[in-house]
Amino acid sequence: MTQESKKNRVTRRKFIKGLIAAVVSFEIIYVLYGLVGKKRPNLMNKNLFNAGKVSSFENDKIYPFGSGLFYLFKYSDGGFLAISIKCTHLGCMVQFDSKNQGFMCPCHSSKFNKYGEVLSPPATRALDIFPITIEKGEILVDNEHPIQRNIFKPSQLTYI
Amino acid sequence: MINKERKPTAIERFLLHIHPNKIDAEAIKFTKTFGLGGISALLFVLLAISGILLRFTYVPTPESAYDSIIFLQEKILFGRLLRNIHHFSATIMVVTSFLHLIRTYYSQSLYFERSKNWIYGLLLMFLVLFSNFTGYLLPWDQLAYWAVTIMTNMLEYIPIMGDLLANMFRGGDMVNGVTLLNFYNLHTGVLPLFFVFFMSMHFWLVRKAKGVIVSESTEKEMVSVFPNLVVKEIMLALIVLAAIFLLSIFIDAPLLDKASITISPNPSKAPWYFMGVQELLLHIHPVFAVFVIPVAMLSLFFYLPYFKYSKVNIGVWFNSKIGKSLTIISVLFSFIFTLIVILISEYIIDFSSWVPKLPLLISTGLFPVLIFLIPTAGFLYYWYKVKNTGFVETVMSLVTIIITSYIVMMAVGVWFRGEGMNLIF
Ligand code: HEM
Ligand code: HEM
Ligand code: FES
């Protein structure tokens, strides 16, 4: 065997060394990801946000829930949409401007209509929405799991 | 005067081990390195000391972080001074390590045996920025909270892994207590550890390369390090320390209102050293601004020592006379050209409504990039092919254009962007 091919051959020793290195790094990454990445349950409340009785909302109106970080929009046919107030540009908090019937972001002035669709950039995506479930006539919003979308579609609405 | 009779103590002798006994007289001229690497190292020591002291009062939770800083500033003797020292050392360290990068690059000190040290240097630069960024969140005021919100949301634009990365840093989809704990741990534990390791490697590699660069032609005259170099180092260190203390006595580190997750300030800006990216983001599709372009730039910088150059004059500033003039011309070109492109893009160009049929990635991504790229390529082609400038000088011109352009964008973002990120003059 020549010097050259000896150098490049995978010996048993090299193979085992490589295997150990791979396993160890996988373990480290796994542990790190678990430590850094996961939400710690004791620091987050996992409950759904209760927005109140279905009957207390009027059609075609928008209701702010500042502490839940969303706006609840009741469509003209009675469907509900929970719109995240987190701007899709870089994450500032949008505000509803009742004069223009739309959302405005203070940070870099993206504008959205009342369905959350982009009216003017720099944002490129419509505002995220949160899943809604309706139980015993109460509206429960899962405000920890935003759903991304590009435009508004009636299929995003939740009905009783 | 220096007492030559006194024997150095054990600690002194240990510290002197950073240097060889004798050194080329040319290497210790101040204008050789401007002491920039040494100043950065000194600043790290100062940061570590002041940082460890800060940890005695700092509480890393969203409820108490802000109040603990108020407490430090108002109730503790010299507490405000301590915070100011940490703040200004950190800011100045960004500047000095960046200037050090510039020095090593333009004095042609990154080839052959120094190429590995260039890589370690880039990693150190990354550590400097990342330390600054993680420290930025700790005061938990409006400035800190929204700057970090903006930066972590930039990560989300990275294709495929973006969301995962951003959520990992934040520990959720919003900046919250988990983010603060993550950042605190990175800032005061993990990153300083990395610093010590990389800096040790960096210093060792400088010695392995037989000290800082000296041009090949000079006749060597060796002088002893002690006292020739050491006295200079101590003098510079004292000047830097005095400057930082003076700054910290007269100027206070900023502290706005306590962070409020429902009120975003207008405008919200990233920390100043990242404002170039945020400015870019105003003009170009996010995938290009936070992914394609930064990755391309980083690859270029890491690859710089390894191109197949034909004539490198190690240790000669700008490689040659032509290199020097071309660098100056490139700075001017890039400065003016970048400003023009920013203005055009702000007031005239609106590809997304001119060609609404094309995907956004092309109309707001590729087109603006080409607007910058084509004239730049033309500029470089002219020098390389028509004027027959060397390859080293041409690459240097490209690097100059990139650096100048970033600085211009950063300056525009920091000083000329007002409410709603509109241009103000
Ligand atoms: C052992 C090393 C370090 C420790 C223990 C440490 C610790 C701390 C602590 C406790 C704070 C919060 C206090 C405050 O915000 O005023 C802080 C803030 C900060 N640190 Fe460090 N730090 C270290 C190194 C560094 C380094 C190397 C850099 C940058 C290169 C840096 C940059 C910053 C910045 C920019 C802030 C924000 C300061 C401000 O409020 O304006 N730190 N650090
Ligand atoms: C915390 C940051 C840094 C520290 C403390 C540091 C420290 C030093 C010191 C003390 C030297 C000896 C010569 C001199 O003072 O200029 C040096 C040389 C060098 N540094 Fe750094 N440095 C840092 C960052 C960087 C960066 C960002 C780069 C470039 C990417 C870099 C690349 C180099 C190179 C290539 C040399 C060899 C230069 C020569 O031989 O003339 N360093 N560094
Ligand atoms: S974060 Fe809303 S426009 Fe930038």
Side-chain angles (χ1 to χ4, degrees), chain A residues 87 89-92 105 107-110 122-123:
Chain A
C87 179
H89 175 229
L90 290 176
C92 287
C105 180
C107 288
H108 320 107
S109 54
S110 286

Side-chain angles (χ1 to χ4, degrees), chain A residues 22-136:
Chain A
V23 169
V24 169
S25 13
F26 181 74
E27 175 68 18
I28 290 178
I29 290 172
Y30 183 78
V31 169
L32 261 186
Y33 180 71
L35 282 177
V36 181
K38 294 270 165 54
K39 295 178 189 182
R40 254 131 292 177
N42 55 346
L43 287 175
M44 321 284 299
N45 65 337
K46 290 201 89 167
N47 302 326
L48 301 178
F49 189 96
N50 188 330
K53 287 248 178 292
V54 175
S55 49
S56 54
F57 299 101
E58 287 172 36
N59 279 4
D60 210 17
K61 266 208 155 167
I62 201 148
Y63 298 88
F65 284 89
S67 56
L69 302 178
F70 64 90
Y71 279 86
L72 190 66
F73 177 58
K74 192 170 182 199
Y75 201 60
S76 44
D77 66 355
F80 285 98
L81 193 66
I83 301 176
S84 165
I85 69 172
K86 187 177 152 185
C87 179
T88 52
H89 175 229
L90 290 176
C92 287
M93 297 300 154
V94 296
Q95 273 143 22
F96 191 71
D97 177 7
S98 44
K99 205 170 81 225
N100 300 322
Q101 285 294 303
F103 299 93
M104 237 278 301
C105 180
C107 288
H108 320 107
S109 54
S110 286
K111 292 194 180 60
F112 307 86
N113 65 17
K114 61 181 172 181
Y115 308 109
E117 292 172 313
V118 180
L119 287 181
S120 73
T124 50
R125 231 180 46 227
L127 293 170
D128 294 346
I129 53 174
F130 295 122
I132 297 181
T133 42
I134 298 178
E135 255 173 49
K136 300 195 197 107

Side-chain angles (χ1 to χ4, degrees), chain B residues 33 37-38 41 100 103-104 109 114 118 121-122 125 202-203 212-213:
Chain B
T33 64
H100 173 63
R103 192 286 287 179
T104 50
S109 325
R114 290 183 177 79
W118 171 257
L122 287 177
M125 190 75 221
H202 197 65
F203 296 162
V212 298
I213 204 103

Side-chain angles (χ1 to χ4, degrees), chain B residues 44 47-52 54-55 58 69 72 83 86-87 89-91 93-94 127-129 131-139 184 187-189 192 195 253-255 273:
Chain B
F44 175 74
L47 280 163
I49 296 173
S50 56
I52 287 169
L54 282 171
R55 281 183 47 137
Y58 182 78
I69 291 201
L72 170 81
R83 175 161 184 253
H86 199 74
H87 176 87
S89 310
T91 309
M93 194 174 178
V94 178
L127 279 182
V128 171
L129 292 179
S131 291
N132 256 283
F133 175 59
T134 48
Y136 209 92
L137 178 69
L138 301 184
Y184 177 69
H187 185 83
T188 65
F195 249 119
L255 188 68
Y273 34 86

Side-chain angles (χ1 to χ4, degrees), chain B residues 300-362:
Chain B
L300 174 70
F301 272 83
F302 273 102
Y303 199 67
L304 274 178
Y306 305 108
F307 281 111
K308 291 249 173 327
Y309 299 105
S310 44
K311 268 207 249 79
V312 275
N313 297 321
I314 302 293
V316 178
W317 278 87
F318 306 106
N319 204 46
S320 61
K321 267 221 163 66
I322 302 168
K324 186 170 173 183
S325 9
L326 181 55
T327 303
I328 296 173
I329 294 170
S330 307
V331 169
L332 290 176
F333 165 78
S334 178
F335 181 79
I336 297 169
F337 181 58
T338 309
L339 278 182
I340 292 176
V341 173
I342 288 177
L343 287 175
I344 293 180
S345 153
E346 181 84 5
Y347 294 117
I348 303 174
I349 293 179
D350 187 5
F351 283 121
S352 60
S353 52
W354 291 349
V355 276
K357 291 229 180 57
L358 287 175
L360 280 180
L361 202 59
I362 292 179

